[in-house]
Amino acid sequence: MREKELRDLLADMSLEEKIGQLIQLSGEFFQSKDISYGPIQKLGISQKAIDLTGSVLNVTGARVTKELQDRQMAKQPHNIPVLLMADVIYGFKTIFPIPLGLGATWNPELIQEAFRTAGNEAAASGNHVSFAPMVDVTHDPRWGRTLESPGEDAYLNSQMSRAMVTGFQEDLADKAGQVSCVKHFAAYGGVEAGLEYNSADMSLSNLFQNYMPPYQAAVDAGCGMVMTSLSTLNGVPGTADKWLLQDVLKKQWGFDGLLISDYASVYELTKHGFAADDRDAAQKAMDAGLDIDMKSPVYANELQGLVEDGSLSVDKIDAACWRVLELKNKLGLFEDPYFGTSEEKEKLVNLTAAKRKLTRKVADEALVLLQNKNDLLPLTGQEKIALIGPYADEKSLIGMWAVHGDPADCVTIKEALEEEIGERLSYAKGTEVSLDKEKLRGLGFIPAEEIEQMVPDEQTEKKQQVEAIKIAQESDVIVYAVGENSYEAGEAGSKTDLHLPENQVALLNDLATLGKKIVLINVSGRPLVLSNVTEQCDAIIQAWFPGTEGGHAIADVLLGKISPSGRLSMTFPYTEGQEPLYYAHLSTGRPRQGSQHVGRFVSRYIDAPAEPLYPFGYGLSYGKVNYRDLTVKQSHIQSTESLQVNVTLTNASDWQQKETVQVYFHDDVASVVQPVKRLVAFKKVRLAPQSEQKVTFELPAEKFSFYDNQGKQVLEPGTFQLFVGANSRDVQKVEFEVVK
Ligand code: GLC
């Protein structure tokens, strides 16, 4: 409708109706029978509040959403449609690799296409807003939500953030896209010790340089919504942080969309000790400019009273309600509350062959080859392969945040290999993802009977181990598919032990005594500690949770249909004790190389290496690409100029390569000391067999600026080091200067 009509609508709404637009509830409140006493009592809100609710969480599907829309609009005095929002984090029905794997593609254009596809599917099923991308920078894989993030680096996450937001929103005008809700604002990934929901505390320099850029990239790409974090930043909960939401997000960055809390995070303001009670929480969240209260009773029960006793201006309610109505109007919901969804459209759009092909292509580029002794891989396809392990024929390859996906749609590794090598493949599970019933019970949400099914009795376990050893003895190569329990990854999945489960390592050790070649496939939602399995394995592939076509992608790499091009978007530690461990660290006054001290008195551990097992940006391909002739066109640049960087790549192999050229820099001297390296640019280039290519980067001087402890961006003249290479460790270096 036209703006004037929308203004008239707002003016005609009662205070109760306006408050209703600021409430979001989950699906159980809107069963078709409308019998949701349990949740109502538990949340402590009225049926009236439910009837007037303005948005609904995680209810999707053409039929269901149309029925819900009809029911709820009939209860609205002005027939205002509800806004439907869902967790579409890395796919809707066609599931892509987890975002940590999407980051490992270093291919923003491809990821934009993936998110456009996810937006098409979610919209076809009636959804309007997707709670993604999650772009929280994370330096600590003890945190389960590393699964959801593109990784540890502000620049890489920013490129992915922009691509994901753009992809989601590309087809919005045709009701075939999603409003992108970037999250979690801000710096949730900085939770101390990787402990879920813990506090994040950092300097403004660290915040603006290492955590904020991906959110700003989402705002610059036009994301329609921002979700606040469950955690505190420097002692203030993101959900009610007026400085963060008003001064930074709205005034500095110019964000003019909707601000939604995370799940119950308004209610949790009292738990944090930031609000005295729900009334105080409502006041503080509204003062900070939070528009929608997700799944908490606070706005529903407290806003009316605050307005009526004069503590809260109705103007704030009107402003928040206006933003909600504006978004509904922008989506055309007043004219078409169904957003064009239909069961026919759903069937036509979801999980098509083309979309399967796309997620396979993304997974092909997300897999990271970590080890390949004596170029064992790719296999020729003529070998007799013994496929063993809990993930060998496992459908659950989509990870815990693939909320609307179905593991049954997945292609397993076994299915994919059978298509290619048929009878030369033998299979035995060998062992389970986990045999630790206590640990599984401790996760707190797996039904007891399911745990009994997940963990066989000792006799069965022994029998399947024997079976695995037997087929291994009769094979040429063992492909051992292991990894992390999907239940242990994602939200509330913090853990202190990042090793593979003992039973998986034990069977590997037995297999290693057979003198066969071993390829380990690691399925996980985070970097695991693999330092205790590198010896036993000839090759190691990091598969992440690779998505609906994960099995095909793994077979593509194993059998050489493609040369793996994935590069780690997060550091793999040698041991958990090193965490948080990331490449963009400071030098310290006693670095291990170049300090005036040696031996004990340098920055090191006395009981473990300080270096990672595999560094940020690392990954192998079949055949090698060589870098030479790294030059900068100018030895020095003014602050208004750009530096031109040139490097020549040679692909001396017969493989079609996709090589990610990574460019890092170091500011030698700065008033706030700078990391030894910081990613500033990258290009994923195609290299035909036996070819070479000159690659050029134009880097504006402002890219070499840093943030000071007032949160101000500064560029100081002086010498800089520029590094170019295939990862953050193996680089060539050239110096340049920024002059006044
Ligand atoms: C969860 C998550 C958030 C998600 C929301 C809705 O607690 O923190 O990422 O979008 O609730 O499911």
Side-chain angles (χ1 to χ4, degrees), residues 485-506:
N485 187 330
S486 178
Y487 285 122
E488 292 180 15
E491 182 173 356
S494 292
K495 55 186 186 184
T496 60
D497 182 353
L498 300 181
H499 289 79
L500 287 167
E502 284 170 13
N503 60 297
Q504 296 179 19
V505 177

Side-chain angles (χ1 to χ4, degrees), residues 24 57-58 86-87 89 131 134 145 148 183-184 188 197 227 230 262-263 294 401 491:
Q24 176 170 103
L57 166 63
N58 277 331
D87 288 298
I89 316 291
F131 290 140
M134 186 280 217
R145 300 196 79 162
E148 282 179 81
K183 65 187 183 183
H184 303 83
Y188 181 13
Y197 313 125
M227 181 187 293
L230 292 159
D262 199 340
Y263 197 105
M294 181 197 294
W401 268 118
E491 182 173 356

Side-chain angles (χ1 to χ4, degrees), residues 85-112:
M85 308 192 196
D87 288 298
V88 184
I89 316 291
Y90 47 96
F92 182 69
K93 292 300 177 194
T94 305
I95 303 299
F96 294 93
I98 55 170
L100 204 52
L102 301 180
T105 68
W106 292 66
N107 190 339
E109 294 70 29
L110 180 62
I111 301 314
Q112 181 171 327

Side-chain angles (χ1 to χ4, degrees), residues 370-440:
L370 295 174
Q371 183 173 291
N372 192 19
K373 290 175 187 168
N374 306 315
D375 295 336
L376 169 69
L377 294 180
L379 302 175
T380 64
Q382 298 313 308
E383 303 90 348
K384 286 175 69 182
I385 296 176
L387 176 61
I388 298 168
Y391 274 104
D393 193 28
E394 173 56 58
K395 286 270 182 193
S396 182
L397 297 174
I398 56 177
M400 79 69 87
W401 268 118
V403 178
H404 303 279
D406 184 350
D409 296 328
C410 287
V411 174
T412 70
I413 301 171
K414 176 170 175 282
E415 289 165 343
L417 286 174
E418 275 169 347
E419 288 171 15
E420 299 294 334
I421 64 173
E423 73 289 344
R424 282 192 301 283
L425 180 73
S426 57
Y427 163 72
K429 190 173 188 181
T431 188
E432 303 300 326
V433 170
S434 171
L435 295 179
D436 185 338
K437 285 188 182 178
E438 266 324 294
K439 188 174 184 183
L440 291 167

